[in-house]
Amino acid sequence: MKLKTRGAVEMIAAMLISGTVGWPVIASEQPAVTVVFWRCVFGALALFIICAMLGLLKRGVLTRQQIVIAIIGGITLVLNWVLLFGAYSYASISVATVTYHTQPFMLVGLGVLFFGEKLTANVLCWLLVAFGGMLFIIIGQQGVITLGSDYLIGIAMALGAALMYAVTAAIIKQLKGQPPHLIVLIQLVVGAILLSPFVVWSDLPLPGSTWGLLLIIGVIHTGLMSSLLYGAIQKIPTSLVGALSFIYPVVAIIVDWLVFGHRLSAVQMVGAGTILLAAAGMNFGWKLMGNRSRETQKYS
């Protein structure tokens, strides 16, 4: 199998796995903090084995400064997961996942605020398109929505998760070229330590089926998915990484429909498509305005 083909297969597999994470999260019937804690524990064990096999568990691979950066990124990564998993219960997997994919725009905003990057007219237009899609998702919810409704809380949490992801991506950019498996291992260890005081230990022992779901989230949706994703990124062009990333929200919408019976309304489908279109436009530098400079904002 050619290297590029193998990378594409790995990327597709990683996105298929990512798109199904909401299923075991909801089925576990555990608080988001508990799910993320065990995700960190089991994921760290899986990545420890992977790092050992890759020969990354030795001194000098990362400097102290790089370790500190990885730790800070671990804090924001864990907050991202807690908010996203919490959003599943308040809104739905579909709505939370699509809303979560406003993250490229969050990253652009951080670049403008903290890294002196310019906000071009074309990027601003795609941002407005995504905002329009968000409004369609909100007004497309069946039933009456009040400012205190669970649905709006779920959307707010998904937006918060997207912001935390963008912050994590901005932080991890400082570690470009370093072993990604080792960085994620550090982040998962940080997450387990950070969340351990918030786990309701009196709920233990959990049913065997719940342990199975948590193990799947940690090993499959974290350890295996990360390995496939990083392996793919090393083998295929960034443009293809961006294109195949849209498998994730599509799979999430299908899973939410087939497993939990949550169907997006017609208006919400328009909103979801609009957000994903805007994110794609950001990824590939599609032009809405006739500016001369080429924009190639991509996921980190």
Side-chain angles (χ1 to χ4, degrees), residues 60-74 171-176 178 183 186-187:
V61 177
L62 297 176
T63 65
R64 289 186 179 180
Q65 181 180 4
Q66 290 170 337
I67 292 174
V68 170
I69 293 174
I71 289 173
I72 297 173
I171 293 172
I172 298 304
K173 276 187 176 182
Q174 311 304 313
L175 299 175
K176 187 175 181 179
Q178 303 306 316
I183 294 171
I186 294 172
Q187 292 176 329

Side-chain angles (χ1 to χ4, degrees), residues 19-28 88 93 213 217 221 255 259-260:
T20 61
V21 69
W23 185 354
V25 168
I26 297 296
S28 70
Y88 291 160
I93 295 173
L213 292 169
I217 295 170
H221 290 93
V255 168
V259 179
F260 300 104

Side-chain angles (χ1 to χ4, degrees), residues 63-258:
T63 65
R64 289 186 179 180
Q65 181 180 4
Q66 290 170 337
I67 292 174
V68 170
I69 293 174
I71 289 173
I72 297 173
I75 295 172
T76 55
L77 178 66
V78 168
L79 290 174
N80 153 58
W81 285 340
V82 170
L83 288 170
L84 179 61
F85 290 176
Y88 291 160
S89 299
Y90 285 101
S92 69
I93 295 173
S94 301
V95 170
T97 302
V98 172
T99 303
Y100 180 64
H101 274 74
T102 57
Q103 48 192 252
F105 305 101
M106 305 282 189
L107 191 55
V108 168
L110 291 176
V112 172
L113 291 174
F114 299 107
F115 301 109
E117 297 177 4
K118 294 182 179 180
L119 180 62
T120 66
N122 198 60
V123 171
L124 182 59
C125 284
W126 282 123
L127 179 60
L128 292 175
V129 170
F131 181 74
M134 182 67 58
L135 292 180
F136 274 113
I137 286 181
I138 293 174
I139 66 176
Q141 170 68 5
Q142 296 178 353
V144 178
I145 298 178
T146 63
L147 291 179
S149 71
D150 288 350
Y151 183 72
L152 291 183
I153 292 174
I155 289 180
M157 292 179 73
L159 288 173
L163 176 60
M164 287 298 99
Y165 177 89
V167 172
T168 303
I171 293 172
I172 298 304
K173 276 187 176 182
Q174 311 304 313
L175 299 175
K176 187 175 181 179
Q178 303 306 316
H181 296 88
L182 184 58
I183 294 171
V184 176
L185 173 60
I186 294 172
Q187 292 176 329
L188 292 176
V189 171
V190 169
I193 295 173
L194 183 67
L195 295 179
S196 58
F198 303 99
V199 176
V200 183
W201 297 101
S202 59
D203 289 344
L204 298 178
L206 298 173
S209 58
T210 301
W211 281 120
L213 292 169
L214 295 175
L215 191 63
I216 288 172
I217 295 170
V219 175
I220 304 298
H221 290 93
T222 306
L224 177 59
M225 188 280 294
S226 297
S227 298
L228 290 169
L229 178 61
Y230 296 139
I233 290 174
Q234 293 173 354
K235 299 181 183 73
I236 61 178
T238 306
S239 58
L240 186 55
V241 172
L244 295 178
S245 294
F246 289 95
I247 294 174
Y248 172 15
V250 172
V251 171
I253 291 172
I254 294 173
V255 168
D256 200 23
W257 170 41
L258 293 178

